[in-house]
Amino acid sequence: MLYKATVEARDGTVIPVFSDGKTMFSRYAPLKEVDNFGSHLQLEGTAGGFFVVAGLGNGIHIQALRKKFPQSVILIVEKSDKEIKWLKDNFSLQSLLYKENIWLTTCTQAAQIFIQLYNPLLHGNFFFLPVRSWVDQIPEEAAKLKATLEQALTSIAGDYSTQAHFGKLWFRNFFLNLKSFVKNPKDFQLEIQQELAFVAAAGPSLDSFIPQLKNSQIRDKIYLIATDTALPALLRQKIIPDMTVTIDGQVASIRHFLQNLPSSMVLAADISSSPNVVLRCKEKGCPILFFRNKNPLPLLLEKYLKEKAIGSTAPHTVLLPEIDTGSGTVTSAAVDVAYKLGFSQIQVGGGDFAYLQGKPYCQGTYFEDQFCTTSCRTYPTEQKYMQLMYRGKTFSSDGKIETAILTEYRKSFENYIKSHADVVIITDSHKIYTEKKDNFKSRRIKLNSCQLKISNLSRSDFNGFIDWYKTLLKEEKQEVISSILPLFGWYIKKNNDKCDIFYIMKLAYSQTVRYTETYGK
């Protein structure tokens, strides 16, 4: 137990006493002492700042901090629930802890809560403010807390960087793809008979699976899901996947779909992926299955449809199933698609997350076309591949060439596998596994069939949502803020501007009108 008693200071303030007899604040004038807490900090812009304060105590230092920065968000970290309960029993903390934008957690939960709460766009700078006397009592826990917060901050910075780079593109793609969603053909019923899903990624090891995929007996037993990067490699070998998954919002992703596409292939597309890819597949007659990740903009669409369905005789159908794209790779997304389809056994080929045999990709990707057609005697294809592989820092491991980002992708994918214990996911075999594991039961309702209904969005739902969303933006409603944060990040990065969230709401309103005005009612 970190605390053991309370004592009254000379100025009448009751302060906590640590288990070794030392007090958390001065025994003479604690109020004067905490008056300087955080006084050395300076905030930039209009944001209030985000503070993580290590050590709750009697809360007088937090009250002083909040007085200096009234618009700030404060996350208070205490050693454990025991200490929190003891402090609540011995001090009147209700007026502090139940204020807006003040949160309380423990050391073990601090990093997770920090990631959930801190948004650099809304909160501005982050500050870690440990109470020195508290740190001296538990130096190891305090050092671990600081390290986990730094790691969490790195994760937040990476996420913010991605949002700032793709924010406008995601925003634009969402509304353009909504038009394709409305123009989808009538509901399509997809029936799956196979029990094994094979996910074809574009890593070098996919080459070893090609002969097996061309074997009709093996091919009939598997449901083949291709990543968009692996699609041209399969089509060159006259292997037609049952489904192709795409999550990339960039225009360049159309390069994976330039070959003659089979109309039997289902395109599973993130609602914020490239509209060019969606339109290309629709022109070839491919059914489109839209899905979403945790992006808040499609979540608002779901919210609108649910509110509209209240009181209706027809039950609400989730039009955008959620697919895990958190690792940032299409391979992980394709595996999660297979999982959500109900497969108990999923095998991955080409999911290497490394360079093998001196190659970054399998044969037949669009890189092969791009490099081969522009190669010459003084600038051969091999040199271009080497430049691609060694454009950043690399290191060798078990005969593989790895990079920091590929390693992070691999770790995220491995964490995904560990968190899905109810399904067999095979990643290290060079033989397609078609034998059912006896200790794993099928996750489907029907053992030998899976039915997937690919729905469309009605024109009235589209128009209703657009009008509803524009109203939220125009009236500056709180619930719409999260949906424009990526756009906010993009605008600030592009213009190096310190504009506020309300300006971005106006920008989002004008962009929404622009992307949807030609559709008509």
Side-chain angles (χ1 to χ4, degrees), residues 307-367:
E307 290 180 352
K308 182 181 176 182
I310 295 176
S312 172
T313 56
H316 168 68
T317 301
V318 176
L319 295 180
L320 293 172
E322 182 180 338
I323 299 300
D324 185 355
T325 62
S327 67
T329 68
V330 68
T331 302
S332 296
V335 171
D336 197 51
V337 168
Y339 179 81
K340 298 295 171 55
L341 289 176
F343 284 99
S344 297
Q345 301 174 88
I346 304 170
Q347 185 168 356
V348 183
D352 305 313
F353 302 107
Y355 303 142
L356 304 179
Q357 302 170 351
K359 298 190 301 182
Y361 297 102
C362 63
Q363 296 179 8
T365 65
Y366 88 86
F367 280 108

Side-chain angles (χ1 to χ4, degrees), residues 301-312:
L301 174 61
E302 288 285 350
K303 182 177 186 298
Y304 168 78
L305 294 175
K306 288 180 180 179
E307 290 180 352
K308 182 181 176 182
I310 295 176
S312 172

Side-chain angles (χ1 to χ4, degrees), residues 91-163:
F91 297 99
S92 299
L93 299 172
Q94 289 84 355
S95 60
L96 171 68
L97 298 180
Y98 292 102
K99 283 187 177 179
E100 185 180 7
N101 290 333
I102 290 184
W103 304 79
L104 176 62
T105 188
T106 61
C107 287
T108 55
Q109 298 294 321
Q112 180 182 352
I113 302 299
F114 175 55
I115 290 176
Q116 293 175 1
L117 293 179
Y118 179 47
N119 189 301
L121 289 168
L122 296 179
H123 304 136
N125 293 341
F126 158 70
F127 301 96
F128 179 53
L129 296 176
V131 178
R132 178 168 297 182
S133 59
W134 185 89
V135 172
D136 291 341
Q137 293 293 317
I138 49 172
E140 292 184 3
E141 288 92 334
K144 186 176 180 180
L145 171 63
K146 183 179 179 182
T148 57
L149 288 175
E150 289 176 348
Q151 185 177 3
L153 191 62
T154 300
S155 175
I156 292 173
D159 185 56
Y160 170 73
S161 177
T162 302
Q163 291 188 41

Side-chain angles (χ1 to χ4, degrees), residues 49 73 129 134 158 212 286 315 318 395 415:
V73 176
L129 296 176
W134 185 89
Q212 301 172 68
C286 302
V318 176
F395 53 93
N415 290 335

Side-chain angles (χ1 to χ4, degrees), residues 95-309:
S95 60
L96 171 68
L97 298 180
Y98 292 102
K99 283 187 177 179
E100 185 180 7
N101 290 333
I102 290 184
W103 304 79
L104 176 62
T105 188
T106 61
C107 287
T108 55
Q109 298 294 321
Q112 180 182 352
I113 302 299
F114 175 55
I115 290 176
Q116 293 175 1
L117 293 179
Y118 179 47
N119 189 301
L121 289 168
L122 296 179
H123 304 136
N125 293 341
F126 158 70
F127 301 96
F128 179 53
L129 296 176
V131 178
R132 178 168 297 182
S133 59
W134 185 89
V135 172
D136 291 341
Q137 293 293 317
I138 49 172
E140 292 184 3
E141 288 92 334
K144 186 176 180 180
L145 171 63
K146 183 179 179 182
T148 57
L149 288 175
E150 289 176 348
Q151 185 177 3
L153 191 62
T154 300
S155 175
I156 292 173
D159 185 56
Y160 170 73
S161 177
T162 302
Q163 291 188 41
H165 186 76
F166 293 106
K168 184 180 180 182
L169 193 64
W170 290 340
F171 194 83
R172 166 187 176 272
N173 290 354
F174 171 79
F175 288 105
L176 295 182
N177 281 330
L178 273 189
K179 297 179 182 180
S180 295
F181 205 171
V182 176
K183 293 179 181 178
N184 248 352
K186 63 181 181 179
D187 292 352
F188 177 81
Q189 197 77 19
L190 178 67
E191 295 190 5
I192 301 173
Q193 301 295 331
Q194 300 92 331
E195 291 188 17
L196 172 68
F198 186 90
V199 174
S205 66
L206 182 63
D207 291 336
S208 64
F209 290 98
I210 295 299
Q212 301 172 68
L213 293 174
K214 295 178 74 172
N215 185 317
S216 59
Q217 292 183 346
I218 295 178
R219 177 67 183 86
D220 291 342
K221 293 181 180 180
I222 64 173
Y223 188 79
L224 180 57
I225 301 176
T227 63
D228 52 3
T229 48
L231 176 62
L234 296 176
L235 294 181
R236 286 179 187 277
Q237 298 291 337
K238 302 189 184 305
I239 300 171
I240 299 176
D242 297 294
M243 179 179 288
T244 296
V245 179
T246 183
I247 64 173
D248 192 354
Q250 301 176 94
V251 176
S253 59
I254 191 64
R255 295 175 181 175
H256 306 306
F257 296 85
L258 295 180
Q259 297 192 43
N260 189 27
L261 302 177
S263 60
S264 60
M265 182 191 76
V266 176
L267 177 70
D270 189 295
I271 192 66
S272 295
S273 61
S274 172
N276 297 334
V277 171
V278 173
L279 292 175
R280 167 74 175 169
C281 292
K282 286 176 70 69
E283 289 174 356
K284 295 299 181 179
C286 302
I288 311 295
L289 170 63
F290 284 109
F291 60 84
R292 63 172 176 84
N293 52 30
K294 295 185 182 297
N295 191 309
L297 190 51
L299 280 176
L300 276 182
L301 174 61
E302 288 285 350
K303 182 177 186 298
Y304 168 78
L305 294 175
K306 288 180 180 179
E307 290 180 352
K308 182 181 176 182

